Amino acid sequence: MEKVTLSVSGMSCGHCERAVKGALEGLNGVHHVTVYLQEGKVDVEFDATKVDIAVLKQAIEEQGYDVA
């Protein structure tokens, strides 16, 4: 299991938080997601044999947010 913290810009409300969390939790291999709305950060615990960071970033960007 790996853990990564991603910086996400553009999140400003509970809807944003749910959109990002839902997009990540829907990916095969993602086990746990914590969104820190005020800090603009997302912690993701995932199985690197099933999903990689590029896919995590893409899922967030598809929701309309930028990942640094």
Side-chain angles (χ1 to χ4, degrees):
M1 205 68 58
E2 289 193 36
K3 187 174 182 181
V4 65
T5 300
L6 301 171
S7 294
V8 180
S9 60
M11 296 188 301
S12 60
C13 64
H15 170 72
C16 301
E17 182 178 348
R18 290 187 298 277
V20 169
K21 185 170 181 151
L24 291 170
E25 288 179 337
L27 296 174
N28 184 31
V30 173
H31 293 279
H32 186 73
V33 178
T34 304
V35 178
Y36 300 96
L37 186 61
Q38 300 293 75
E39 294 85 0
K41 299 204 180 292
V42 179
D43 286 343
V44 186
E45 188 175 321
F46 63 100
D47 182 343
T49 65
K50 295 181 180 178
V51 66
D52 63 24
I53 293 174
V55 173
L56 300 177
K57 289 181 179 181
Q58 181 180 359
I60 294 169
E61 289 169 349
E62 286 175 355
Q63 296 302 309
Y65 306 99
D66 294 319
V67 182

